[in-house]
Amino acid sequence: MKNSNRPFRSLLRVSSLALLVLAGAGLATAVAAEQGSAAKPNVVVLLVDDAALMDFGTYGGEARTPNIDALAGRGAMFTQYRSSPLCAPSRAMLLTGVDNHQNGVATIPEVIPREQAGKPGYTLSLEPGVATLADYLRAAGYRTYMTGKWHLGSEHGDLPDGHGFDRSFALDASGADNWEDKPYMPFYAEAPWFEDGKPADLPADFYSSKFIVNKMIDYIDAGDAAKPFFAYVAFQAIHIPVQAPPEFTAHYKGVYDEGWEVMREARHARAMEKGLVPQGAKLAPMPKSARPWASLSADEQKLYAARMEVNAGMLEAMDFYVGKLIEHLKEKGQYENTIFVVTSDNGPEPSRGDDNALTKIWMDFNGYHLSADHIGEKGSWGFIGPEWANAAASPSDLFKFYAASGGVRVPFVMAGPGVPQTRISSFALVTDVAPTLLTLAGVTPDETGLRPMTGRSLVPVMKGQVAETYGPNDPVGIEVSGNTGFYLDGHKITRNMAPQGDGQWRLYDINADPGETTDLSDAKPDLKQKLIAAYDSYAQSMGILPMPEGYDSTAQLNNNIAVRMLKRQWWKLVLLVLLLGGIGYGTYRGIRTWRARA
């Protein structure tokens, strides 16, 4: 991002490359004593975009996800896993095991305020001394591949090839069209796809989930079969624009016709049946801004139900291609020796495409429509909106962007060698993924000269050696753009920023009230102050910056879009002003001449 701190960012990039080169020897030395690479397991991380806790079938969702369900059935299914409320911070934490404010990706470029941009921890790219899973595993003899959404920096050295990946086909944006090579929002001038760090084109038959899996298969097959591989598969599904092949969408005709209130109640009931929440746990009310389903016209209800059908179809299509990857590994004799991780970067996406006139104009110019005609197919800009997102997040409160449970409580599944068939209800965090996978791979990283991981290995819990990864006295914090969840003593303080929140702290008993329905601030003021003080200590140690007064993520997004568009299109504005000025001057001269002759 261009700003007054750009020299600082340039220095960071140079320093980062130098540190990682120097650290490489340490990384390699740390694994030199390990057993031969042939015995090491392959590692596949399947990252879904914007999936809610209950979106997978095994967690109680409506979509058909037999391949993910099968992995959960033979491995470990976590029910109390937390991510961050936004995509890039979650991805950075997953890949590094380091808190987002320490790894450089505190938030996303779309919503960062000017006061924070470019500051340490807020450069929005992986900073000096931050190593990734790919760095550690490559030093241990792995071949390393990445396909799909990256969103972790776009300048020199920021892409996957600069962070330990041998081969990569990466989207350096928060999203893009799933059918064509084009952007999905006016923040981007294009869909920035790169292969091995160089701009790349998409094939004519592109569909995101299909392409992301097929490209990964190509990379795996072309590599040295004598070496284990690490495959990071980062899907666009089910991020906006919500798009799916019609044969998958057709499976959900009529499923959502009763509306979002019915769906959220049904998911809440299934959550209690499956033990995701205690029996009798309350369900938080819909957001105050939510529209009652009954307030929509019959045509609007039909359209919104269709949008949710496409959402389920997109998830099923993704699972279908996950199955293709699994079948390929079975054919190659690699499946049994592969560790799989399946999770989501954050909760469901609430953004709409029909509530902003300027966005609608942009869509018209970029070949998008919002109608039910061929919904989910090429040219369709699909979304589910805040009401469906809130229903999808049930039994939790709110959705993506916010640190309420609906924004951060997501599914997490592990399967493969070293992973027992079990269900785990102890707390786990996105930063725990990297140290867990390194443990299972038999790799002990040397972090000398590197920023140490803040996450913990989940292996002791999975093997029954301990009951909890984080005890009641272990503080755990999540913060993105002021939206904060802080856990301690079986309780949580939550702060949700505008537009859905008011920036005030609220206290919840997270075990008895996982939906965050009853604020205990008045009942337990001393405990609340204890958690706030502990959070302040965490914020200081992590380098969390305060939010500007009156911060609103939606308003900031609109502002950042305007700034980006102005930087790209300023010359058109100048030409328009000159043209209008010329027309005005010509008209003025014409009127004066006419009056003189009269």
Side-chain angles (χ1 to χ4, degrees):
M1 179 171 290
K2 298 178 181 178
N3 51 57
S4 60
N5 292 281
R6 185 166 184 173
F8 171 75
R9 292 196 66 198
S10 299
L11 177 61
L12 284 181
R13 287 189 193 90
V14 174
S15 302
S16 180
L17 290 172
L19 277 170
L20 287 178
V21 168
L22 290 172
L27 292 174
T29 300
V31 300
E34 302 288 343
Q35 55 184 305
S37 62
K40 293 184 180 299
N42 305 312
V43 177
V44 174
V45 174
L46 303 167
L47 185 60
V48 189
D49 205 331
D50 296 350
L53 172 68
M54 295 184 68
D55 273 347
F56 300 161
T58 191
Y59 281 85
E62 302 81 22
R64 305 176 187 180
T65 56
N67 296 294
I68 293 173
D69 297 350
L71 290 174
R74 62 182 282 258
M77 175 178 167
F78 289 73
T79 62
Q80 294 294 337
Y81 173 83
R82 301 298 194 279
S83 192
S84 96
L86 276 180
C87 47
S90 297
R91 292 159 193 271
M93 287 191 280
L94 183 149
L95 285 173
T96 67
V98 179
D99 184 277
N100 53 313
H101 308 90
Q102 290 290 294
N103 65 39
V105 190
T107 183
I108 63 174
E110 287 85 343
V111 301
I112 192 169
R114 176 180 53 82
E115 294 87 344
Q116 295 178 345
K119 300 289 179 61
Y122 293 76
T123 60
L124 309 189
S125 60
L126 298 178
E127 289 182 356
V130 177
T132 68
L133 265 172
D135 288 315
Y136 290 121
L137 292 175
R138 183 162 68 175
Y142 277 72
R143 43 200 171 109
T144 54
Y145 309 127
M146 184 271 168
T147 56
K149 176 175 166 179
W150 181 245
H151 202 209
L152 297 178
S154 55
E155 298 191 33
H156 180 70
D158 287 344
L159 293 170
D161 62 303
H163 290 288
F165 288 96
D166 298 326
R167 300 297 313 276
S168 60
F169 205 110
L171 172 66
D172 176 36
S174 56
D177 193 271
N178 295 283
W179 293 108
E180 301 178 80
D181 192 351
K182 67 179 185 179
Y184 81 106
M185 66 181 296
F187 188 79
Y188 297 99
E190 60 183 0
W193 287 96
F194 296 87
E195 185 165 28
D196 302 331
K198 299 177 181 178
D201 296 321
L202 301 178
D205 65 344
F206 175 79
Y207 177 69
S208 64
S209 293
K210 172 185 174 182
F211 175 80
I212 288 167
V213 166
N214 286 345
K215 180 60 70 171
M216 182 56 72
I217 290 173
D218 291 344
Y219 287 160
I220 292 171
D221 285 355
D224 183 354
K227 294 182 176 181
F229 64 82
F230 167 46
Y232 174 42
V233 185
F235 291 101
Q236 290 176 236
I238 45 180
H239 194 282
I240 52 175
V242 179
Q243 299 166 318
E247 60 269 27
F248 293 102
T249 300
H251 295 158
Y252 304 96
K253 187 67 176 176
V255 170
Y256 302 101
D257 286 356
E258 293 182 281
W260 37 67
E261 292 98 343
V262 171
M263 175 184 165
R264 68 190 295 269
E265 292 287 350
R267 283 202 174 189
H268 181 237
R270 289 199 296 275
M272 288 188 287
E273 292 171 5
K274 289 180 168 290
L276 299 177
V277 296
Q279 287 294 325
K282 294 180 181 179
L283 177 61
M286 295 279 281
K288 292 181 180 178
S289 60
R291 297 163 293 176
W293 181 255
S295 71
L296 274 60
S297 69
D299 287 342
E300 288 174 329
Q301 289 181 351
K302 183 177 180 180
L303 178 57
Y304 268 89
R307 285 170 174 155
M308 199 62 183
E309 291 166 12
V310 177
N311 191 73
M314 191 178 191
L315 191 58
E316 182 184 341
M318 184 209 71
D319 180 83
F320 174 82
Y321 289 106
V322 168
K324 291 290 186 182
L325 175 60
I326 289 173
E327 284 304 311
H328 184 78
L329 294 179
K330 288 180 177 178
E331 291 171 4
K332 297 293 184 178
Q334 296 277 12
Y335 176 74
E336 294 298 332
N337 193 40
T338 298
I339 299 168
F340 291 88
V341 167
V342 190
T343 188
S344 174
D345 58 352
N346 45 247
E349 169 68 67
S351 300
R352 291 171 58 180
D354 61 352
D355 60 348
N356 186 302
L358 292 178
T359 300
K360 180 62 170 61
I361 293 171
W362 179 87
M363 288 184 189
D364 291 340
F365 275 101
N366 286 272
Y368 283 117
H369 70 84
L370 297 169
S371 71
D373 185 35
H374 296 286
I375 190 168
E377 300 178 42
K378 188 177 293 187
S380 170
W381 200 95
F383 67 92
I384 63 173
E387 294 89 0
W388 279 129
N390 185 252
S394 180
S396 300
D397 185 32
L398 292 180
F399 28 64
K400 177 181 176 178
F401 291 100
Y402 302 98
S405 50
V408 299
R409 190 181 179 192
V410 295
F412 182 73
V413 167
M414 292 191 74
V419 180
Q421 182 181 2
T422 185
R423 176 174 164 138
I424 297 174
S425 59
S426 64
F427 189 93
L429 192 63
V430 61
T431 46
D432 300 335
V433 176
T436 301
L437 289 174
L438 290 172
T439 301
L440 290 171
V443 175
T444 304
D446 180 358
E447 295 181 290
T448 304
L450 301 175
R451 295 194 185 180
M453 295 186 192
T454 56
R456 302 179 180 183
S457 174
L458 301 171
V459 171
V461 162
M462 287 194 291
K463 292 188 174 181
Q465 297 168 350
V466 297
E468 303 279 345
T469 303
Y470 297 90
N473 296 320
D474 292 329
V476 179
I478 301 169
E479 192 276 349
V480 176
S481 294
N483 295 288
T484 309
F486 191 78
Y487 304 80
L488 184 65
D489 286 349
H491 288 74
K492 176 189 178 185
I493 48 171
T494 302
R495 179 177 62 193
N496 295 313
M497 306 296 286
Q500 292 292 342
D502 57 9
Q504 300 301 308
W505 289 112
R506 290 175 173 80
L507 175 69
Y508 301 103
D509 181 335
I510 204 63
N511 296 315
D513 183 25
E516 302 179 27
T517 66
T518 304
D519 181 11
L520 301 175
S521 296
D522 292 336
K524 299 182 178 181
D526 292 342
L527 180 59
K528 180 180 180 180
Q529 288 306 312
K530 176 184 176 180
L531 265 68
I532 291 175
Y535 169 75
D536 288 341
S537 177
Y538 157 77
Q540 183 175 6
S541 65
M542 292 295 117
I544 298 175
L545 297 179
M547 301 308 298
E549 186 71 26
Y551 177 82
D552 179 314
S553 60
T554 299
Q556 190 67 57
L557 172 62
N558 291 333
N559 178 75
N560 290 354
I561 287 174
V563 170
R564 277 237 180 167
M565 292 186 72
L566 184 60
K567 287 181 178 179
R568 292 197 307 261
Q569 309 290 347
W570 65 267
W571 60 273
K572 292 182 180 180
L573 183 61
V574 171
L575 287 178
L576 179 61
V577 170
L578 291 175
L579 177 61
L580 293 176
I583 292 173
Y585 181 70
T587 302
Y588 168 73
R589 289 292 302 271
I591 292 173
R592 282 181 60 94
T593 301
W594 175 77
R595 285 181 175 175
R597 290 176 178 175

